[in-house]
Amino acid sequence: MPNPLALIAEITHRCPLHCVYCSNPLELTSRNEELATADWLRIFAEAAALGVLHLHLTGGEPLARPDLAEMIEGARQSRLYTNLITSGVGLSRERLAQFVEAGLDHIQLSFQDSSGGPANWIAGARAHAHKLELAAWIREHQIREQQTGERRIAFTVNLVVHRQNIDHLEEMIAALEALHPDRMEIAHAQYYGWALQNRSALLPTRAQLDRAVAVVAAAEERLRGKVRIDMVVPDYHARFPKACMGGWGRQLLLIDPAGRALPCHAAGVIPGMFFDNVRDHPLAWIWQNSAAFQKFRGEAWMPEPCRSCERRQEDFGGCRCQAFLLTGDASATDPVCELAPLHHLIEDAVREHATAGPVPAAREASFHALQENTAGFWSYRTDPK
Amino acid sequence: MADLTDASIPKFAAGCRWGGTTEAPVVLFPEGAIRVEGTGRIILELCDGHFSLAEIVQKLEAQFMLAPKGKIRADVETFLQQLHAKRIVDY
């Protein structure tokens, strides 16, 4: 059995933002169920011993945990490559300096759009201006480290793309480029959790997607050697499914705020699954023996056409959660696949939802005006109790 | 892409560093890792900010004396340019 390469640590589900495409589950974990600092430090050590190289600290908003600097330090002591995935809200200049000092390798800052009005409208919170301020502080660290020849922290800007912002992708890339990132992640929304609820407002049309792909290709060419661009494609418009998580229980594991170990972000939606908890078992035991991790590992679970498909070792039959969410059967071929018996579900969704208009986001409108004009347009992610 | 010249000093880009074990070292970078062995490992170990491209090539030529003239330089350049495009090495 291969060992996991990355650990996704959802250290809290609390978040000051309410992004309409949030990948968190609809049922969020509350604060009083959250693991303690010592639990996380033990998990990091166990993960490193199991062969994990990368740790992704995420949430919710990981900054909501006051012990985050301690966690970063503990992760680095366990020799993990430590990445902080954040909205930036809750990060002061002093706290950033603490994280850099603690050994943070990489900070990934999310953006919702290129200007405050629409960005805050998508996030459901006034966050954009602070993100710009934070980007400037990160830049200061990078310049200082460059001058002193010290190890430098990597800076990624992350942009989730969907129908409400896809038409000005070029403008967004230019705005983010001005922040001097090392890397840009342009991720099309994936339809789970909150994004699935809001799919009819988020799904782009094929023509919009084609233009966006051309824009990204041009930016890649122009920025080669300067900014690395990674794009996450929207699978609804693909011919074949994504190799979700690099295959179930093959490369990644996720620990939720309460300590449950999941093979992916959305696995909790699949009925009848039991997720073992790191409070009860060592991580190695969970990886090897937990029923949840074994459920779709390998190929024995596969139906036709996956079972005899040449691509089964490339995409592993696609995403189990998406299969369940759209077909009601977690063992079905991911309906994104053009060979799937239920592929028409995707075609229907695209036909029904991916319509060009009406886009209420006037670019120059304020957050307040946009919210007033679009009441009921989509549902914002709520905060856990 | 930046030009790679004799005077260029290649080094790990921001957020890139060694990881893994001494027996099986890997280069860690945002969202990924690569296993480097053999000559690749020797080159990257020289990318510590102390040596120029000319010096790195010189060291390798001294170590691999039988390699055809010019081949080492061409190989080192290609290797570093590929890693530069991935933002793993800067120069």
Side-chain angles (χ1 to χ4, degrees):
Chain A
M1 185 185 306
N3 56 275
L5 297 172
L7 171 68
I8 300 165
E10 272 181 3
I11 58 178
T12 181
H13 276 162
R14 291 174 283 143
C15 186
L17 271 63
H18 308 286
C19 301
V20 292
Y21 51 71
C22 182
S23 63
N24 282 156
L26 296 174
E27 284 190 32
L28 297 160
T29 303
S30 65
R31 181 183 203 147
N32 57 22
E33 293 174 84
E34 288 179 9
L35 291 178
T37 320
D39 295 323
W40 282 114
L41 298 188
R42 175 178 57 82
I43 294 165
F44 299 160
E46 287 184 17
L50 195 53
V52 167
L53 298 172
H54 283 75
L55 168 67
H56 303 285
L57 293 165
T58 184
E61 174 48 67
L63 295 167
R65 292 276 308 219
D67 52 354
L68 184 53
E70 215 178 316
M71 285 196 221
I72 293 168
E73 207 178 333
R76 277 305 303 261
Q77 274 167 10
S78 295
R79 293 176 50 84
L80 293 171
Y81 185 97
T82 307
N83 174 25
L84 175 63
I85 300 172
T86 180
S87 72
V89 177
L91 190 48
S92 65
R93 200 179 194 145
E94 294 69 32
R95 207 170 171 207
L96 172 66
Q98 265 180 22
F99 294 170
V100 172
E101 179 69 19
L104 186 64
D105 287 291
H106 176 204
I107 186 165
Q108 186 170 320
L109 182 60
S110 65
F111 282 86
Q112 282 69 39
D113 208 321
S114 51
S115 59
N120 294 340
W121 172 60
I122 291 163
R126 289 181 202 282
H128 188 72
H130 176 70
K131 290 167 186 278
L132 297 177
E133 203 177 10
L134 174 58
W137 298 336
I138 295 170
R139 174 79 178 147
E140 284 174 9
H141 276 280
Q142 289 205 311
I143 292 172
R144 193 174 316 135
E145 289 161 6
Q146 199 156 20
Q147 284 163 351
T148 58
E150 284 172 57
R151 188 191 57 84
R152 285 170 296 157
I153 184 172
F155 176 33
T156 290
V157 288
N158 171 290
L159 180 65
V160 176
V161 178
H162 44 77
R163 199 167 78 238
Q164 303 307 323
N165 62 11
I166 195 168
D167 287 331
H168 28 268
L169 186 54
E170 212 159 2
E171 192 185 321
M172 291 193 288
I173 291 174
L176 295 182
E177 191 188 329
L179 305 176
H180 304 282
D182 299 293
R183 185 172 163 270
M184 241 184 237
E185 193 173 285
I186 298 173
H188 286 263
Q190 305 280 315
Y191 298 100
Y192 304 93
W194 304 86
L196 183 60
Q197 283 206 327
N198 292 318
R199 189 174 64 175
S200 60
L202 297 174
L203 196 61
T205 66
R206 180 79 215 193
Q208 283 179 311
L209 173 66
D210 290 343
R211 278 198 303 276
V213 168
V215 165
V216 172
E220 260 175 337
E221 189 58 39
R222 187 168 54 80
L223 297 171
R224 182 160 297 137
K226 193 173 160 208
V227 183
R228 173 174 161 174
I229 300 186
D230 286 324
M231 184 165 80
V232 177
V233 295
D235 55 0
Y236 273 50
H237 289 290
R239 287 179 62 198
F240 299 112
K242 58 181 176 269
C244 198
M245 307 306 277
W248 185 278
R250 285 175 60 95
Q251 294 185 1
L252 294 112
L253 76 163
L254 179 147
I255 308 294
D256 83 359
R260 285 177 290 257
L262 282 71
C264 73
H265 298 84
V269 300
I270 301 174
M273 297 284 281
F274 176 77
F275 301 104
D276 285 297
N277 197 300
V278 291
R279 296 183 213 252
D280 308 322
H281 302 280
L283 204 58
W285 182 91
I286 291 177
W287 178 254
Q288 282 148 19
N289 305 308
S290 154
F293 279 82
Q294 299 203 49
K295 178 91 179 159
F296 300 109
R297 198 177 249 157
E299 297 176 359
W301 61 273
M302 282 184 184
E304 288 295 355
C306 297
R307 188 179 281 247
S308 58
C309 182
E310 283 175 3
R311 296 180 51 87
R312 70 185 184 279
Q313 286 172 354
E314 262 173 73
D315 59 32
F316 312 101
C319 174
R320 297 303 88 226
C321 308
Q322 181 149 274
F324 171 74
L325 288 167
L326 300 184
T327 75
D329 174 8
S331 305
T333 298
D334 186 335
V336 157
C337 184
E338 63 180 14
L339 304 169
L342 294 171
H343 180 58
H344 68 88
L345 293 172
I346 291 287
E347 293 175 311
D348 294 347
V350 169
R351 200 177 313 112
E352 190 183 335
H353 299 300
T355 51
V359 180
R363 305 285 301 138
E364 59 287 353
S366 70
F367 173 34
H368 183 70
L370 282 165
Q371 278 210 315
E372 290 260 293
N373 297 339
T374 59
F377 180 66
W378 49 24
S379 43
Y380 285 106
R381 174 204 195 270
T382 54
D383 219 22
K385 284 184 240 42
Chain B
M1 295 240 300
D3 289 332
L4 183 58
T5 66
D6 271 347
S8 303
I9 299 178
K11 53 187 173 301
F12 278 138
C16 303
R17 63 177 174 89
W18 289 103
T21 57
T22 323
E23 303 78 54
V26 290
V27 173
L28 298 170
F29 53 93
E31 308 289 330
I34 43 169
R35 184 153 290 150
V36 280
E37 290 160 329
T39 325
R41 180 174 172 182
I42 298 172
I43 298 171
L44 277 177
E45 280 174 345
L46 293 169
C47 295
D48 60 359
H50 289 105
F51 304 107
S52 67
L53 174 68
E55 289 166 332
I56 292 172
V57 171
Q58 221 171 37
K59 282 175 186 291
L60 286 162
E61 280 175 345
Q63 197 171 346
F64 300 98
M65 286 166 63
L66 296 176
K69 185 124 188 71
K71 182 168 189 313
I72 286 182
R73 178 171 178 123
D75 287 353
V76 172
E77 277 187 18
T78 310
F79 181 68
L80 292 178
Q81 280 162 349
Q82 281 170 351
L83 293 181
H84 182 57
K86 293 193 169 95
R87 289 305 316 275
I88 295 172
V89 167
D90 276 347
Y91 41 75

